[in-house]
Amino acid sequence: MPLSLLAPDPSETPSTACLGDPLCKAVYNFSDSQWLADGGYYVLIKPLRIVVIIVVAMIARALLNHTINKIVARTAQGKVPTMLRPIREKVPVSVLNAGSMFPERRRQRAEAIGSVLRSMVTVAVFSVAFLIVLSEFSIDVAPLIASLGIVGVALGFGAQSLVKDLIAGLFMLLEDQYGVGDVIDTGEAVGVVESVGLRTVTIRDGRGVIWYVRNGEIIRIGNKSQGWATVMIDVPIGFVGVEEATSVLREAVDAFAHDPEWSADFVEPPQVLGVENISVDGAVIRTVCKTSADRQWDLQREMRRRLTEALEASGIAAQMQASRALRASVPAEEPPTA
């Protein structure tokens, strides 16, 4: 067989894809061999470019995640970037102090937002890398992007409630409306938050029932665990002396406020405001105090106990019982007859 049949035909040119690549074109110009240029392009250059694309995507994802982690760490520690310091200086001191009271809550919120941002970065970076890899296989990605856009619009219309829940959950995290361990009131469900997600929040009420509430369906929400709380206790005193009862209650709340076991739970000293209401059963005196949100229920029970014991020790409770017994023994007047 003549050797000319085995040698490559110099008149043949590489493929258009090879000629469009600078490295493949350089190989062809150097070797003047079509099969060497095309073979090297599809066996070596094309896989190497795909590997480079994947590696660059992984590096970009790692750098972005590292940046997010640094921002999350600074946020969890209460630090503010240099460019945002002028804004921080305009924030009232009371707001800054309120935020510094709950470092663990701030850390959990920052971690949750960081997790969402890392997931979004991963999806975005690898989606772009996937499209670039498809273009390396000479696949036209323009129709694919257009089709994905149409599918996205269709899914957006068909899953409006899901999108609404996710957006509401994201804003809930950004605004720090509530967190795990908070006692919240969503209208239908009132209880302790056990888990928080972008779509739903899980609440356990006082009877132990688990409620799964969609974030997009929450119209208004009351958080009983943020900052401080006001405890209001109305004490009925019947028809005994108001001044005497008020004096006894003030002595009781003053002693309670100076108790070393409870004094740290008071944000402000308790106050006996005076007569709040008058009914057929007598006067009602209101006592209020400002305390930390997580201790409001324990402090409220203890204050009720101390006020009750103070009324009993002063004899006012006995006077109230005697007054009720006297009123019950007096027969009611009969209405006049026509």
Side-chain angles (χ1 to χ4, degrees), residues 112 115-116 162 164-174 177-180 193-203 211-216 218:
S115 177
V116 174
L162 177 60
K164 180 181 177 181
D165 295 339
L166 294 178
I167 294 176
L170 181 59
F171 276 101
M172 178 274 300
L173 288 175
L174 293 174
Q177 297 175 4
Y178 51 83
V180 176
V193 178
E194 291 203 341
S195 65
V196 175
L198 287 179
R199 194 180 72 86
T200 61
V201 55
T202 305
I203 304 172
W211 295 79
Y212 299 94
V213 184
R214 289 165 45 193
N215 292 323
I218 299 177

Side-chain angles (χ1 to χ4, degrees), residues 186-301:
T186 62
E188 295 293 334
V190 181
V192 181
V193 178
E194 291 203 341
S195 65
V196 175
L198 287 179
R199 194 180 72 86
T200 61
V201 55
T202 305
I203 304 172
R204 186 180 296 273
D205 65 12
R207 298 184 178 181
V209 180
I210 290 289
W211 295 79
Y212 299 94
V213 184
R214 289 165 45 193
N215 292 323
E217 297 299 322
I218 299 177
I219 305 300
R220 55 90 178 165
I221 188 167
N223 193 326
K224 301 180 180 180
S225 302
Q226 282 188 348
W228 50 268
T230 299
V231 174
M232 292 187 299
I233 300 177
D234 292 335
V235 182
I237 61 171
F239 291 95
V240 301
V242 174
E243 291 297 332
E244 180 184 0
T246 303
S247 177
V248 170
L249 294 178
R250 281 176 179 164
E251 291 179 0
V253 297
D254 288 342
F256 185 30
H258 291 87
D259 189 339
E261 184 180 353
W262 296 91
S263 59
D265 297 325
F266 288 95
V267 178
E268 293 181 359
Q271 297 179 350
V272 180
L273 300 182
V275 178
E276 179 66 22
N277 187 21
I278 298 178
S279 64
V280 294
D281 295 324
V284 176
I285 297 180
R286 171 163 292 183
T287 302
V288 299
C289 67
K290 186 180 292 186
T291 178
S292 57
D294 58 336
R295 294 285 290 169
Q296 57 179 309
W297 295 280
D298 295 336
L299 188 140
Q300 189 174 29
R301 296 187 186 96

Side-chain angles (χ1 to χ4, degrees), residues 45-280:
I45 298 177
K46 181 73 73 172
L48 183 61
R49 292 178 61 177
I50 294 175
V51 171
V52 170
I53 292 171
I54 296 175
V55 171
V56 170
M58 295 178 66
I59 293 175
R61 173 179 174 271
L63 292 176
L64 291 173
N65 285 344
H66 178 69
T67 303
I68 293 173
N69 292 335
K70 290 184 64 177
I71 296 175
V72 167
R74 292 178 62 87
T75 305
Q77 296 173 4
K79 298 180 180 179
V80 179
T82 305
M83 64 178 62
L84 299 180
R85 287 178 183 174
I87 300 177
R88 181 185 176 92
E89 294 175 356
K90 298 179 181 180
V91 179
V93 178
S94 58
V95 176
L96 295 178
N97 292 336
S100 62
M101 292 174 61
F102 306 99
E104 181 62 23
R105 179 183 182 86
R106 182 175 60 234
R107 186 193 64 79
Q108 293 179 359
R109 173 169 163 262
E111 289 292 342
I113 296 175
S115 177
V116 174
L117 292 177
R118 286 190 292 268
S119 299
M120 294 174 61
V121 165
T122 300
V123 172
V125 170
F126 283 109
S127 296
V128 173
F130 178 71
L131 293 177
I132 297 177
V133 169
L134 289 181
S135 65
E136 289 296 324
F137 288 100
S138 301
I139 298 176
D140 189 5
V141 296
L144 179 60
I145 295 176
S147 301
L148 290 177
I150 296 174
V151 172
V153 172
L155 290 177
F157 280 106
Q160 293 184 33
S161 60
L162 177 60
V163 176
K164 180 181 177 181
D165 295 339
L166 294 178
I167 294 176
L170 181 59
F171 276 101
M172 178 274 300
L173 288 175
L174 293 174
E175 296 173 0
D176 191 23
Q177 297 175 4
Y178 51 83
V180 176
D182 286 352
V183 179
I184 63 174
D185 180 359
T186 62
E188 295 293 334
V190 181
V192 181
V193 178
E194 291 203 341
S195 65
V196 175
L198 287 179
R199 194 180 72 86
T200 61
V201 55
T202 305
I203 304 172
R204 186 180 296 273
D205 65 12
R207 298 184 178 181
V209 180
I210 290 289
W211 295 79
Y212 299 94
V213 184
R214 289 165 45 193
N215 292 323
E217 297 299 322
I218 299 177
I219 305 300
R220 55 90 178 165
I221 188 167
N223 193 326
K224 301 180 180 180
S225 302
Q226 282 188 348
W228 50 268
T230 299
V231 174
M232 292 187 299
I233 300 177
D234 292 335
V235 182
I237 61 171
F239 291 95
V240 301
V242 174
E243 291 297 332
E244 180 184 0
T246 303
S247 177
V248 170
L249 294 178
R250 281 176 179 164
E251 291 179 0
V253 297
D254 288 342
F256 185 30
H258 291 87
D259 189 339
E261 184 180 353
W262 296 91
S263 59
D265 297 325
F266 288 95
V267 178
E268 293 181 359
Q271 297 179 350
V272 180
L273 300 182
V275 178
E276 179 66 22
N277 187 21
I278 298 178
S279 64
V280 294

